[in-house]
């Protein structure tokens, strides 16, 4: 046994690289490996010889194993050293950088709007995407037979719940919570969030879209306050001076209700294909909060007035960056997304 042990240890010592060491290893420890055979052979000896022979065989096996492991280490170190001293290898060269993601353009604009409105004293509110029929429609003075409630427009769930079709339900949710806790106006909130409608998707329509609701309630709030706030907001987001105009617009939860247009940022109002030669772009629906909505919120419409607006975020982002197809937002195309290199703060 001693001879073979010597032979094995010599074979290990003689291995010049990891590949030849691997060969030795499989010869000794692989299937039918010589070392393992030796251990197994103990069982064939006469009974009295087995304990001593077993012990010797195990010791031998351990010794060979240790020699193998030590040699493996040594060869690995050697290989590493060789690589490090290879003149074509420069350990000071920076490695490939992991690619950093960036913010989605909707998130960029949403963050800017949140910064702007919170700097004007608005408070950022959140609300559920799965909403009740009551908050999405009834509380907002939308009659039971209004076409918006129909399933062509609304994704209904079980139990008269639905995917909210706008962020307006958070108006009444917030007013109720506010008055229940004993607060009185002023109340100024913004509600950015995702909304859903059973739309056929095309260049300008998505079934899933982002809005930012705004609500201001106080004594003596007027349309002038609404216009001033909207102008400030559009100037910041579109990064230019803007002119706005109001047209009447109908929403059951505001009275009067308006469509607010901004002068076309692409042609400065001269008329182009984006504004369909009109010089104006419809940008946000808004109005003075309907007395019934204030009552639903627990506020007295004799004492308080308010304004509300519902900005379609995609729309604003499209105007800001000159994007002409709403489907690019959800398409997940990196060539699109990498054009907005802003990273998370
Ligand atoms: N919620 C309305 C919509 O989604 C927009 C809106 C909000 C209109 C607030 C007036 C006031 O169409």
């Amino acid at each position: 046994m001693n001879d073979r042990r010597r032979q094995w240890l010599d074979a290990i010592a003689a291995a010049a690289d990891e590949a030849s060491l691997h060969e030795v290893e499989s010869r000794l420890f692989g299937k039918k490996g010589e070392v393992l055979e030796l251990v197994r052979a103990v069982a064939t000896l006469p009974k009295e010889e087995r304990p001593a022979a077993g012990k010797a065989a195990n010791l031998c096996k351990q010794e060979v194993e240790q020699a193998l492991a030590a040699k493996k280490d040594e060869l690995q170190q050697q290989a590493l050293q060789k690589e490090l001293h290879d003149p074509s290898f420069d350990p000071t060269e920076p490695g490939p950088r992991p690619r950093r993601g960036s913010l989605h353009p909707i998130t960029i604009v949403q963050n800017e709007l949140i910064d702007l409105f919170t700097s004007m004293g608005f408070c950022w509110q959140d609300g559920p995407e799965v909403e009740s029929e009551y908050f999405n429609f009834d509380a907002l003075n939308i009659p039971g037979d209004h076409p918006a409630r129909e399933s062509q427009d609304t994704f209904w769930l079980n139990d008269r719940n639905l995917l909210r079709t706008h962020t307006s339900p958070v108006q009444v949710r917030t007013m109720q919570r506010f008055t229940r806790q004993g607060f009185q106006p002023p109340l100024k909130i913004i509600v950015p969030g995702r909304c859903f409608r059973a739309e056929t998707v095309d260049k300008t329509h998505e079934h899933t879209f982002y809005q930012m609701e705004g609500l201001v309630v106080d004594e003596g709030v007027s349309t002038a306050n609404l216009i001033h706030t909207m102008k400030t907001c559009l100037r910041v987001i579109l990064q230019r001076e803007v002119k706005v105009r109001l047209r009447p617009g109908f929403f059951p939860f505001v009275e009067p209700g308006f469509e607010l247009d901004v002068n076309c940022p692409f042609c400065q109002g001269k008329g182009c294909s984006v504004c369909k030669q009109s010089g104006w772009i419809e940008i946000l629906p808004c109005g003075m909060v309907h007395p019934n909505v204030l009552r639903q919120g627990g506020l007295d419409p004799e004492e308080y007035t308010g304004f509300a607006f519902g900005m379609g975020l995609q729309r604003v982002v499209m105007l800001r960056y000159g994007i002409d197809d709403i489907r690019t937002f959800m398409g997940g195309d990196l060539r699109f997304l990498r054009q907005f290199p802003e990273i998370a703060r």
Side-chain angles (χ1 to χ4, degrees):
M1 185 174 93
N2 251 336
D3 281 357
R4 285 161 78 197
R5 181 177 140 268
R6 202 55 273 154
Q7 260 176 26
W8 293 332
L9 293 175
D10 287 348
I12 290 171
D17 52 36
E18 288 180 88
S20 36
L21 185 68
H22 188 73
E23 254 168 52
V24 177
E25 181 176 13
S26 36
R27 180 155 64 82
L28 306 188
F29 291 98
K31 222 168 156 191
K32 297 216 169 147
E34 294 172 16
V35 178
L36 300 181
E37 295 282 279
L38 174 79
V39 176
R40 264 184 231 127
V42 173
T44 63
L45 293 174
K47 209 170 178 186
E48 345 44 276
E49 293 177 26
R50 279 186 222 160
K55 202 170 170 194
N58 271 326
L59 275 176
C60 171
K61 176 174 167 244
Q62 265 175 28
E63 193 184 353
V64 177
E65 273 171 353
Q66 278 164 12
L68 192 72
K71 187 71 183 179
K72 231 185 227 175
D73 255 14
E74 187 192 316
L75 289 176
Q76 264 169 13
Q77 279 303 322
Q78 264 175 24
L80 184 64
Q81 286 304 321
K82 198 165 148 227
E83 207 176 317
L84 286 174
H85 292 102
D86 175 349
S88 69
F89 175 71
D90 176 2
T92 65
E93 188 185 345
R97 273 169 200 275
R99 195 188 265 279
R100 228 172 154 173
S102 56
L103 295 178
H104 193 281
I106 297 177
T107 309
I108 295 174
V109 170
Q110 184 175 295
N111 284 348
E112 279 179 28
L113 283 165
I114 290 170
D115 280 356
L116 169 69
F117 278 102
T118 49
S119 80
M120 299 197 292
F122 284 69
C123 166
W124 171 6
Q125 291 292 306
D126 209 354
E129 290 176 353
V130 171
E131 188 50 281
S132 67
E133 182 175 23
Y134 167 73
F135 279 116
N136 199 84
F137 294 125
D138 302 273
L140 291 169
N141 199 40
I142 300 176
D145 58 358
H146 194 278
R149 296 197 187 217
E150 279 169 29
S151 55
Q152 295 99 296
D153 291 313
T154 301
F155 290 116
W156 285 96
L157 307 170
N158 302 331
D159 312 329
R160 307 309 288 166
N161 283 329
L162 47 83
L163 295 183
R164 68 175 174 193
T165 60
H166 50 182
T167 42
S168 302
V170 189
Q171 288 188 24
V172 176
R173 279 184 175 276
T174 308
M175 285 190 280
Q176 285 186 358
R177 195 154 14 97
F178 184 77
T179 51
R180 250 199 330 265
Q181 290 170 353
F183 292 113
Q184 289 298 314
L187 170 65
K188 295 164 82 175
I189 60 162
I190 46 158
V191 187
R194 200 154 54 148
C195 308
F196 311 86
R197 275 182 214 174
E199 298 270 12
T200 308
V201 175
D202 64 22
K203 253 180 130 157
T204 52
H205 297 88
E206 259 288 2
H207 49 71
T208 302
F209 55 97
Y210 290 78
Q211 283 193 339
M212 196 167 84
E213 193 82 7
L215 171 71
V216 171
V217 183
D218 201 355
E219 284 172 28
V221 173
S222 73
T223 310
N225 302 126
L226 166 64
I227 295 173
H228 173 76
T229 309
M230 294 300 89
K231 263 188 102 158
T232 308
C233 157
L234 292 172
R235 187 177 64 229
V236 171
I237 288 309
L238 299 179
Q239 301 166 323
R240 50 171 80 78
E241 277 307 318
V242 292
K243 280 192 213 139
V244 299
R245 74 173 184 192
L246 293 183
R247 288 177 294 117
F250 177 70
F251 305 92
F253 37 95
V254 284
E255 179 56 37
F258 308 109
E259 290 288 356
L260 189 139
D261 298 340
V262 63
N263 67 320
C264 177
F266 297 104
C267 64
Q268 272 60 268
K270 285 192 217 64
C272 67
S273 63
V274 179
C275 60
K276 301 198 184 79
Q277 310 307 328
S278 73
W280 295 95
I281 291 186
E282 182 176 319
I283 192 155
L284 42 92
C286 53
M288 303 306 293
V289 182
H290 195 286
N292 286 348
V293 176
L294 291 172
R295 280 190 203 101
Q296 286 292 331
L299 292 167
D300 180 359
E302 297 297 321
E303 227 176 313
Y304 298 112
T305 51
F307 68 77
F309 59 89
M311 193 181 318
L313 278 187
Q314 270 104 329
R315 179 113 225 229
V316 178
V317 177
M318 287 165 86
L319 280 182
R320 153 96 160 252
Y321 294 112
I323 297 166
D324 64 359
D325 191 331
I326 199 169
R327 291 169 293 194
T328 45
F329 289 124
M330 301 294 194
D333 187 335
L334 291 176
R335 290 170 306 176
F336 171 72
L337 296 171
R338 285 187 182 138
Q339 294 176 52
F340 308 91
E342 186 172 322
I343 54 167
R345 288 174 280 182

